[in-house]
Amino acid sequence: MKILFVTDLHGAEWKYDRLYDIARADRPDAVINSGDMLPKGDNLYRQNDFITGKLSSHFAQFDDMGIPYFCYLGNDDLRIWDDLFEETCRRYACVHNIAQRKVAFQGIEFIGMNWVVDYPFRLKDRCRMDSGDYAFQPQFGAGLLSTPSGWETLPDWHGYARKLPTIADELKSLDLPDRMDNSVYVFHMPPNDLGLDVCINGQAVGSKAIYDFLAVNQPRLSFHGHIHESPEMSGAWKAPLGNTLCVQPGQLEDEFAYVTADLESMALERKVELDFFSMGW
């Protein structure tokens, strides 16, 4: 099985167009889009327009080609749009929302999770403590949750978060595959200690819970995103963890990064294309 993997497109229409062009030319068996799919602008309350417009037509293109498309929303995609996203995915037979779900295709089970370890930024829709002893980072202000009527402010985010399931808890609640060696996990959050989680300031912010889960369970492959600049900071976009290969291609604003993976040979290639139009070329 050949997979085309992308992450963190953040509503960049030229990247969605390139993803379609590449899939049309290369005809992968499946496409995976690992979260933060919607625009990250000044008004996140208009992300619904992207879902019903560009994203729906993008899904239709893959449905017309008959290429399965596994995806979910990410931490910068408001949770108030989850139902709309689900409805949009269900309009297309080939599109599957894999947030906290397992989907089987051609003998491979794909299992997704889009929770992330808490960060300093204010939007907390999909944030969790990594484990019960997690130490919070300094915050940039009171936490915010999206609601249909506007932002809900959380003056005591730490206290609120302590009442939520941790990343370790969420991992335990996922459906297990019939065979780990025939499974692919898709976590928006990267594991720690593999160089796939390095921020622009050099801080490594990956999840120990995810690292431990992968180390114990040993799926064939795990895909990650979230830390856009990590490959440039650490020099690593993939790393072995026992028999599991962990992949995080990154995604800079003026580049389109993606990975092609052959699950039979386990040959993987990361490719990066520049946005020549925005550069004035």
Side-chain angles (χ1 to χ4, degrees), residues 197-241:
D197 62 338
V198 183
C199 296
I200 191 71
N201 62 1
Q203 184 180 8
V205 296
S207 166
K208 182 179 185 301
I210 289 177
Y211 179 100
D212 291 345
F213 177 89
L214 295 173
V216 169
N217 289 286
Q218 294 287 275
R220 184 183 305 189
L221 194 62
S222 68
F223 288 115
H224 310 272
H226 190 44
I227 310 302
H228 302 185
E229 67 273 24
S230 185
E232 280 64 43
M233 295 301 299
S234 69
W237 61 269
K238 60 183 174 71
L241 179 52

mmCIF file of all heavy atoms in Angstrom, residues 197-241:
data_model
loop_
_atom_site.group_PDB
_atom_site.id
_atom_site.type_symbol
_atom_site.label_atom_id
_atom_site.label_comp_id
_atom_site.label_asym_id
_atom_site.label_seq_id
_atom_site.Cartn_x
_atom_site.Cartn_y
_atom_site.Cartn_z
ATOM 1 N N ASP A 197 9.811 16.959 17.609
ATOM 2 C CA ASP A 197 8.986 17.854 18.428
ATOM 3 C C ASP A 197 9.701 19.135 18.821
ATOM 4 O O ASP A 197 9.387 19.738 19.850
ATOM 5 C CB ASP A 197 8.566 17.113 19.698
ATOM 6 C CG ASP A 197 9.762 16.712 20.566
ATOM 7 O OD1 ASP A 197 10.903 16.626 20.034
ATOM 8 O OD2 ASP A 197 9.571 16.484 21.779
ATOM 9 N N VAL A 198 10.656 19.593 18.005
ATOM 10 C CA VAL A 198 11.524 20.697 18.400
ATOM 11 C C VAL A 198 10.992 22.023 17.860
ATOM 12 O O VAL A 198 10.862 22.212 16.643
ATOM 13 C CB VAL A 198 12.966 20.464 17.920
ATOM 14 C CG1 VAL A 198 13.871 21.598 18.395
ATOM 15 C CG2 VAL A 198 13.487 19.123 18.438
ATOM 16 N N CYS A 199 10.715 22.950 18.776
ATOM 17 C CA CYS A 199 10.165 24.263 18.417
ATOM 18 C C CYS A 199 11.272 25.221 17.976
ATOM 19 O O CYS A 199 12.457 24.941 18.108
ATOM 20 C CB CYS A 199 9.420 24.855 19.609
ATOM 21 S SG CYS A 199 7.973 23.909 20.128
ATOM 22 N N ILE A 200 10.839 26.381 17.495
ATOM 23 C CA ILE A 200 11.771 27.378 16.964
ATOM 24 C C ILE A 200 12.763 27.841 18.022
ATOM 25 O O ILE A 200 13.892 28.226 17.712
ATOM 26 C CB ILE A 200 10.986 28.581 16.388
ATOM 27 C CG1 ILE A 200 11.898 29.499 15.586
ATOM 28 C CG2 ILE A 200 10.270 29.349 17.498
ATOM 29 C CD1 ILE A 200 12.361 28.914 14.281
ATOM 30 N N ASN A 201 12.363 27.779 19.304
ATOM 31 C CA ASN A 201 13.255 28.180 20.390
ATOM 32 C C ASN A 201 14.149 27.043 20.887
ATOM 33 O O ASN A 201 14.871 27.195 21.865
ATOM 34 C CB ASN A 201 12.453 28.757 21.555
ATOM 35 C CG ASN A 201 11.490 27.751 22.182
ATOM 36 O OD1 ASN A 201 11.432 26.597 21.757
ATOM 37 N ND2 ASN A 201 10.743 28.190 23.179
ATOM 38 N N GLY A 202 14.068 25.900 20.212
ATOM 39 C CA GLY A 202 14.882 24.751 20.587
ATOM 40 C C GLY A 202 14.257 23.859 21.634
ATOM 41 O O GLY A 202 14.818 22.794 21.953
ATOM 42 N N GLN A 203 13.101 24.251 22.165
ATOM 43 C CA GLN A 203 12.444 23.445 23.188
ATOM 44 C C GLN A 203 11.767 22.235 22.556
ATOM 45 O O GLN A 203 11.085 22.347 21.533
ATOM 46 C CB GLN A 203 11.403 24.282 23.931
ATOM 47 C CG GLN A 203 10.723 23.553 25.078
ATOM 48 C CD GLN A 203 9.694 24.421 25.792
ATOM 49 O OE1 GLN A 203 9.377 25.529 25.355
ATOM 50 N NE2 GLN A 203 9.168 23.915 26.897
ATOM 51 N N ALA A 204 11.949 21.070 23.157
ATOM 52 C CA ALA A 204 11.286 19.845 22.720
ATOM 53 C C ALA A 204 10.013 19.673 23.536
ATOM 54 O O ALA A 204 10.062 19.652 24.768
ATOM 55 C CB ALA A 204 12.204 18.655 22.895
ATOM 56 N N VAL A 205 8.876 19.541 22.849
ATOM 57 C CA VAL A 205 7.578 19.594 23.537
ATOM 58 C C VAL A 205 6.723 18.356 23.276
ATOM 59 O O VAL A 205 5.514 18.383 23.470
ATOM 60 C CB VAL A 205 6.801 20.865 23.134
ATOM 61 C CG1 VAL A 205 7.536 22.117 23.582
ATOM 62 C CG2 VAL A 205 6.559 20.894 21.621
ATOM 63 N N GLY A 206 7.323 17.273 22.838
ATOM 64 C CA GLY A 206 6.569 16.085 22.486
ATOM 65 C C GLY A 206 5.949 15.377 23.679
ATOM 66 O O GLY A 206 6.221 15.698 24.840
ATOM 67 N N SER A 207 5.128 14.392 23.369
ATOM 68 C CA SER A 207 4.370 13.670 24.388
ATOM 69 C C SER A 207 5.107 12.414 24.843
ATOM 70 O O SER A 207 5.393 11.527 24.038
ATOM 71 C CB SER A 207 2.999 13.278 23.829
ATOM 72 O OG SER A 207 2.368 12.328 24.647
ATOM 73 N N LYS A 208 5.379 12.345 26.147
ATOM 74 C CA LYS A 208 5.958 11.125 26.706
ATOM 75 C C LYS A 208 4.927 9.988 26.672
ATOM 76 O O LYS A 208 5.279 8.826 26.456
ATOM 77 C CB LYS A 208 6.433 11.358 28.131
ATOM 78 C CG LYS A 208 7.092 10.123 28.769
ATOM 79 C CD LYS A 208 7.566 10.394 30.187
ATOM 80 C CE LYS A 208 8.324 9.184 30.745
ATOM 81 N NZ LYS A 208 7.479 7.954 30.770
ATOM 82 N N ALA A 209 3.658 10.332 26.873
ATOM 83 C CA ALA A 209 2.611 9.308 26.851
ATOM 84 C C ALA A 209 2.531 8.639 25.485
ATOM 85 O O ALA A 209 2.376 7.414 25.389
ATOM 86 C CB ALA A 209 1.265 9.917 27.235
ATOM 87 N N ILE A 210 2.636 9.430 24.416
ATOM 88 C CA ILE A 210 2.606 8.862 23.066
ATOM 89 C C ILE A 210 3.863 8.032 22.816
ATOM 90 O O ILE A 210 3.799 6.939 22.235
ATOM 91 C CB ILE A 210 2.428 9.970 22.020
ATOM 92 C CG1 ILE A 210 0.998 10.529 22.098
ATOM 93 C CG2 ILE A 210 2.738 9.460 20.609
ATOM 94 C CD1 ILE A 210 0.717 11.681 21.164
ATOM 95 N N TYR A 211 5.018 8.531 23.251
ATOM 96 C CA TYR A 211 6.259 7.759 23.113
ATOM 97 C C TYR A 211 6.106 6.397 23.798
ATOM 98 O O TYR A 211 6.419 5.349 23.211
ATOM 99 C CB TYR A 211 7.426 8.535 23.728
ATOM 100 C CG TYR A 211 8.756 7.826 23.660
ATOM 101 C CD1 TYR A 211 9.690 8.160 22.678
ATOM 102 C CD2 TYR A 211 9.093 6.823 24.575
ATOM 103 C CE1 TYR A 211 10.922 7.507 22.617
ATOM 104 C CE2 TYR A 211 10.303 6.165 24.511
ATOM 105 C CZ TYR A 211 11.218 6.506 23.531
ATOM 106 O OH TYR A 211 12.430 5.845 23.469
ATOM 107 N N ASP A 212 5.621 6.414 25.025
ATOM 108 C CA ASP A 212 5.482 5.167 25.777
ATOM 109 C C ASP A 212 4.477 4.229 25.105
ATOM 110 O O ASP A 212 4.692 3.010 25.048
ATOM 111 C CB ASP A 212 5.040 5.460 27.206
ATOM 112 C CG ASP A 212 6.132 6.146 28.030
ATOM 113 O OD1 ASP A 212 7.306 6.135 27.605
ATOM 114 O OD2 ASP A 212 5.796 6.701 29.095
ATOM 115 N N PHE A 213 3.373 4.783 24.605
ATOM 116 C CA PHE A 213 2.356 3.966 23.940
ATOM 117 C C PHE A 213 2.940 3.276 22.712
ATOM 118 O O PHE A 213 2.738 2.073 22.502
ATOM 119 C CB PHE A 213 1.179 4.852 23.533
ATOM 120 C CG PHE A 213 0.103 4.138 22.766
ATOM 121 C CD1 PHE A 213 -0.936 3.518 23.437
ATOM 122 C CD2 PHE A 213 0.122 4.087 21.381
ATOM 123 C CE1 PHE A 213 -1.932 2.841 22.737
ATOM 124 C CE2 PHE A 213 -0.866 3.417 20.676
ATOM 125 C CZ PHE A 213 -1.898 2.796 21.354
ATOM 126 N N LEU A 214 3.673 4.014 21.909
ATOM 127 C CA LEU A 214 4.266 3.432 20.702
ATOM 128 C C LEU A 214 5.356 2.431 21.051
ATOM 129 O O LEU A 214 5.483 1.379 20.412
ATOM 130 C CB LEU A 214 4.833 4.540 19.812
ATOM 131 C CG LEU A 214 3.815 5.527 19.228
ATOM 132 C CD1 LEU A 214 4.528 6.670 18.510
ATOM 133 C CD2 LEU A 214 2.850 4.818 18.276
ATOM 134 N N ALA A 215 6.149 2.736 22.069
ATOM 135 C CA ALA A 215 7.230 1.831 22.461
ATOM 136 C C ALA A 215 6.686 0.495 22.939
ATOM 137 O O ALA A 215 7.270 -0.565 22.674
ATOM 138 C CB ALA A 215 8.078 2.479 23.557
ATOM 139 N N VAL A 216 5.559 0.504 23.631
ATOM 140 C CA VAL A 216 4.976 -0.726 24.159
ATOM 141 C C VAL A 216 4.210 -1.485 23.076
ATOM 142 O O VAL A 216 4.335 -2.711 22.956
ATOM 143 C CB VAL A 216 4.043 -0.398 25.344
ATOM 144 C CG1 VAL A 216 3.215 -1.627 25.731
ATOM 145 C CG2 VAL A 216 4.844 0.089 26.540
ATOM 146 N N ASN A 217 3.437 -0.771 22.252
ATOM 147 C CA ASN A 217 2.516 -1.436 21.331
ATOM 148 C C ASN A 217 3.118 -1.749 19.965
ATOM 149 O O ASN A 217 2.687 -2.692 19.303
ATOM 150 C CB ASN A 217 1.255 -0.591 21.161
ATOM 151 C CG ASN A 217 0.399 -0.607 22.405
ATOM 152 O OD1 ASN A 217 -0.263 -1.590 22.700
ATOM 153 N ND2 ASN A 217 0.430 0.491 23.160
ATOM 154 N N GLN A 218 4.082 -0.952 19.504
ATOM 155 C CA GLN A 218 4.834 -1.235 18.289
ATOM 156 C C GLN A 218 3.970 -1.414 17.025
ATOM 157 O O GLN A 218 4.013 -2.466 16.362
ATOM 158 C CB GLN A 218 5.709 -2.462 18.497
ATOM 159 C CG GLN A 218 6.807 -2.263 19.532
ATOM 160 C CD GLN A 218 7.928 -1.376 19.007
ATOM 161 O OE1 GLN A 218 8.853 -1.829 18.343
ATOM 162 N NE2 GLN A 218 7.841 -0.071 19.294
ATOM 163 N N PRO A 219 3.191 -0.381 16.652
ATOM 164 C CA PRO A 219 2.543 -0.426 15.338
ATOM 165 C C PRO A 219 3.602 -0.327 14.241
ATOM 166 O O PRO A 219 4.765 0.009 14.509
ATOM 167 C CB PRO A 219 1.640 0.803 15.353
ATOM 168 C CG PRO A 219 2.316 1.749 16.295
ATOM 169 C CD PRO A 219 2.917 0.876 17.361
ATOM 170 N N ARG A 220 3.186 -0.594 13.012
ATOM 171 C CA ARG A 220 4.136 -0.541 11.909
ATOM 172 C C ARG A 220 4.635 0.887 11.668
ATOM 173 O O ARG A 220 5.823 1.115 11.421
ATOM 174 C CB ARG A 220 3.501 -1.075 10.624
ATOM 175 C CG ARG A 220 4.495 -1.134 9.459
ATOM 176 C CD ARG A 220 3.855 -1.601 8.169
ATOM 177 N NE ARG A 220 3.174 -2.883 8.306
ATOM 178 C CZ ARG A 220 2.691 -3.567 7.277
ATOM 179 N NH1 ARG A 220 2.808 -3.093 6.045
ATOM 180 N NH2 ARG A 220 2.085 -4.727 7.465
ATOM 181 N N LEU A 221 3.713 1.834 11.776
ATOM 182 C CA LEU A 221 4.035 3.210 11.380
ATOM 183 C C LEU A 221 3.196 4.161 12.211
ATOM 184 O O LEU A 221 2.053 3.855 12.564
ATOM 185 C CB LEU A 221 3.717 3.387 9.890
ATOM 186 C CG LEU A 221 4.244 4.588 9.124
ATOM 187 C CD1 LEU A 221 5.776 4.598 9.117
ATOM 188 C CD2 LEU A 221 3.731 4.540 7.678
ATOM 189 N N SER A 222 3.762 5.320 12.534
ATOM 190 C CA SER A 222 2.969 6.376 13.164
ATOM 191 C C SER A 222 3.277 7.697 12.463
ATOM 192 O O SER A 222 4.431 8.017 12.185
ATOM 193 C CB SER A 222 3.254 6.480 14.665
ATOM 194 O OG SER A 222 4.563 6.958 14.916
ATOM 195 N N PHE A 223 2.211 8.441 12.172
ATOM 196 C CA PHE A 223 2.319 9.748 11.521
ATOM 197 C C PHE A 223 1.966 10.843 12.522
ATOM 198 O O PHE A 223 1.033 10.694 13.325
ATOM 199 C CB PHE A 223 1.370 9.840 10.329
ATOM 200 C CG PHE A 223 1.786 9.030 9.140
ATOM 201 C CD1 PHE A 223 1.019 7.954 8.712
ATOM 202 C CD2 PHE A 223 2.931 9.346 8.430
ATOM 203 C CE1 PHE A 223 1.386 7.213 7.604
ATOM 204 C CE2 PHE A 223 3.325 8.605 7.320
ATOM 205 C CZ PHE A 223 2.544 7.535 6.904
ATOM 206 N N HIS A 224 2.679 11.975 12.422
ATOM 207 C CA HIS A 224 2.510 13.073 13.368
ATOM 208 C C HIS A 224 2.640 14.421 12.648
ATOM 209 O O HIS A 224 3.045 14.491 11.491
ATOM 210 C CB HIS A 224 3.562 12.986 14.475
ATOM 211 C CG HIS A 224 3.662 11.639 15.107
ATOM 212 N ND1 HIS A 224 2.887 11.258 16.168
ATOM 213 C CD2 HIS A 224 4.435 10.552 14.792
ATOM 214 C CE1 HIS A 224 3.171 10.005 16.502
ATOM 215 N NE2 HIS A 224 4.110 9.559 15.683
ATOM 216 N N GLY A 225 2.305 15.480 13.378
ATOM 217 C CA GLY A 225 2.431 16.838 12.855
ATOM 218 C C GLY A 225 2.652 17.809 13.993
ATOM 219 O O GLY A 225 3.439 17.572 14.896
ATOM 220 N N HIS A 226 1.928 18.957 13.948
ATOM 221 C CA HIS A 226 1.808 19.919 15.044
ATOM 222 C C HIS A 226 2.978 20.888 15.143
ATOM 223 O O HIS A 226 2.759 22.102 15.210
ATOM 224 C CB HIS A 226 1.605 19.170 16.367
ATOM 225 C CG HIS A 226 1.238 20.034 17.523
ATOM 226 N ND1 HIS A 226 0.300 21.040 17.438
ATOM 227 C CD2 HIS A 226 1.674 20.041 18.829
ATOM 228 C CE1 HIS A 226 0.158 21.615 18.621
ATOM 229 N NE2 HIS A 226 0.988 21.024 19.480
ATOM 230 N N ILE A 227 4.203 20.406 15.193
ATOM 231 C CA ILE A 227 5.359 21.296 15.341
ATOM 232 C C ILE A 227 5.942 21.525 13.950
ATOM 233 O O ILE A 227 6.788 20.767 13.464
ATOM 234 C CB ILE A 227 6.407 20.701 16.305
ATOM 235 C CG1 ILE A 227 5.750 20.264 17.603
ATOM 236 C CG2 ILE A 227 7.505 21.739 16.571
ATOM 237 C CD1 ILE A 227 5.017 21.371 18.354
ATOM 238 N N HIS A 228 5.497 22.598 13.311
ATOM 239 C CA HIS A 228 5.770 22.826 11.893
ATOM 240 C C HIS A 228 7.255 22.862 11.569
ATOM 241 O O HIS A 228 7.688 22.365 10.528
ATOM 242 C CB HIS A 228 5.153 24.162 11.454
ATOM 243 C CG HIS A 228 3.680 24.261 11.664
ATOM 244 N ND1 HIS A 228 2.953 25.346 11.241
ATOM 245 C CD2 HIS A 228 2.781 23.422 12.241
ATOM 246 C CE1 HIS A 228 1.675 25.183 11.541
ATOM 247 N NE2 HIS A 228 1.551 24.017 12.168
ATOM 248 N N GLU A 229 8.030 23.486 12.443
ATOM 249 C CA GLU A 229 9.432 23.763 12.149
ATOM 250 C C GLU A 229 10.384 22.671 12.595
ATOM 251 O O GLU A 229 11.605 22.768 12.383
ATOM 252 C CB GLU A 229 9.846 25.091 12.801
ATOM 253 C CG GLU A 229 9.874 25.084 14.328
ATOM 254 C CD GLU A 229 8.541 25.399 14.987
ATOM 255 O OE1 GLU A 229 7.487 25.194 14.341
ATOM 256 O OE2 GLU A 229 8.547 25.844 16.145
ATOM 257 N N SER A 230 9.865 21.615 13.215
ATOM 258 C CA SER A 230 10.734 20.632 13.855
ATOM 259 C C SER A 230 11.771 20.007 12.915
ATOM 260 O O SER A 230 12.945 19.891 13.293
ATOM 261 C CB SER A 230 9.897 19.536 14.521
ATOM 262 O OG SER A 230 10.726 18.649 15.238
ATOM 263 N N PRO A 231 11.412 19.590 11.683
ATOM 264 C CA PRO A 231 12.451 18.988 10.827
ATOM 265 C C PRO A 231 13.621 19.928 10.547
ATOM 266 O O PRO A 231 14.778 19.485 10.460
ATOM 267 C CB PRO A 231 11.688 18.645 9.545
ATOM 268 C CG PRO A 231 10.280 18.460 9.991
ATOM 269 C CD PRO A 231 10.080 19.482 11.073
ATOM 270 N N GLU A 232 13.316 21.228 10.417
ATOM 271 C CA GLU A 232 14.392 22.193 10.173
ATOM 272 C C GLU A 232 15.213 22.435 11.429
ATOM 273 O O GLU A 232 16.420 22.714 11.353
ATOM 274 C CB GLU A 232 13.799 23.512 9.668
ATOM 275 C CG GLU A 232 13.448 23.528 8.188
ATOM 276 C CD GLU A 232 12.353 22.531 7.822
ATOM 277 O OE1 GLU A 232 11.358 22.417 8.566
ATOM 278 O OE2 GLU A 232 12.509 21.846 6.792
ATOM 279 N N MET A 233 14.582 22.329 12.590
ATOM 280 C CA MET A 233 15.300 22.574 13.841
ATOM 281 C C MET A 233 16.171 21.383 14.248
ATOM 282 O O MET A 233 17.292 21.555 14.708
ATOM 283 C CB MET A 233 14.296 22.886 14.963
ATOM 284 C CG MET A 233 13.517 24.174 14.768
ATOM 285 S SD MET A 233 14.584 25.633 14.656
ATOM 286 C CE MET A 233 15.377 25.586 16.258
ATOM 287 N N SER A 234 15.647 20.181 14.086
ATOM 288 C CA SER A 234 16.365 18.988 14.567
ATOM 289 C C SER A 234 17.091 18.238 13.464
ATOM 290 O O SER A 234 17.984 17.432 13.744
ATOM 291 C CB SER A 234 15.384 18.028 15.250
ATOM 292 O OG SER A 234 14.506 17.450 14.298
ATOM 293 N N GLY A 235 16.678 18.482 12.222
ATOM 294 C CA GLY A 235 17.232 17.722 11.104
ATOM 295 C C GLY A 235 16.593 16.360 10.929
ATOM 296 O O GLY A 235 17.022 15.578 10.070
ATOM 297 N N ALA A 236 15.556 16.059 11.723
ATOM 298 C CA ALA A 236 14.911 14.741 11.665
ATOM 299 C C ALA A 236 13.444 14.891 11.291
ATOM 300 O O ALA A 236 12.722 15.695 11.874
ATOM 301 C CB ALA A 236 15.021 14.038 13.009
ATOM 302 N N TRP A 237 12.995 14.095 10.301
ATOM 303 C CA TRP A 237 11.564 14.046 9.972
ATOM 304 C C TRP A 237 11.004 12.633 10.153
ATOM 305 O O TRP A 237 9.804 12.435 10.058
ATOM 306 C CB TRP A 237 11.303 14.539 8.554
ATOM 307 C CG TRP A 237 11.971 13.733 7.464
ATOM 308 C CD1 TRP A 237 13.207 13.944 6.926
ATOM 309 C CD2 TRP A 237 11.427 12.587 6.784
ATOM 310 N NE1 TRP A 237 13.478 13.003 5.952
ATOM 311 C CE2 TRP A 237 12.398 12.157 5.839
ATOM 312 C CE3 TRP A 237 10.224 11.891 6.870
ATOM 313 C CZ2 TRP A 237 12.196 11.060 5.002
ATOM 314 C CZ3 TRP A 237 10.019 10.790 6.042
ATOM 315 C CH2 TRP A 237 10.999 10.396 5.117
ATOM 316 N N LYS A 238 11.869 11.686 10.448
ATOM 317 C CA LYS A 238 11.435 10.333 10.784
ATOM 318 C C LYS A 238 12.440 9.741 11.766
ATOM 319 O O LYS A 238 13.614 10.137 11.789
ATOM 320 C CB LYS A 238 11.314 9.444 9.542
ATOM 321 C CG LYS A 238 12.579 9.244 8.739
ATOM 322 C CD LYS A 238 12.289 8.407 7.500
ATOM 323 C CE LYS A 238 13.504 8.299 6.589
ATOM 324 N NZ LYS A 238 14.579 7.468 7.128
ATOM 325 N N ALA A 239 11.937 8.805 12.565
ATOM 326 C CA ALA A 239 12.804 8.197 13.576
ATOM 327 C C ALA A 239 12.238 6.840 13.975
ATOM 328 O O ALA A 239 11.022 6.699 14.140
ATOM 329 C CB ALA A 239 12.917 9.100 14.804
ATOM 330 N N PRO A 240 13.097 5.834 14.137
ATOM 331 C CA PRO A 240 12.615 4.526 14.596
ATOM 332 C C PRO A 240 12.393 4.531 16.102
ATOM 333 O O PRO A 240 13.118 5.188 16.859
ATOM 334 C CB PRO A 240 13.763 3.585 14.214
ATOM 335 C CG PRO A 240 14.978 4.456 14.259
ATOM 336 C CD PRO A 240 14.541 5.828 13.849
ATOM 337 N N LEU A 241 11.384 3.785 16.520
ATOM 338 C CA LEU A 241 11.130 3.560 17.931
ATOM 339 C C LEU A 241 10.842 2.064 18.067
ATOM 340 O O LEU A 241 9.712 1.608 17.885
ATOM 341 C CB LEU A 241 9.952 4.399 18.415
ATOM 342 C CG LEU A 241 9.526 4.263 19.887
ATOM 343 C CD1 LEU A 241 10.703 4.459 20.826
ATOM 344 C CD2 LEU A 241 8.415 5.250 20.203
#
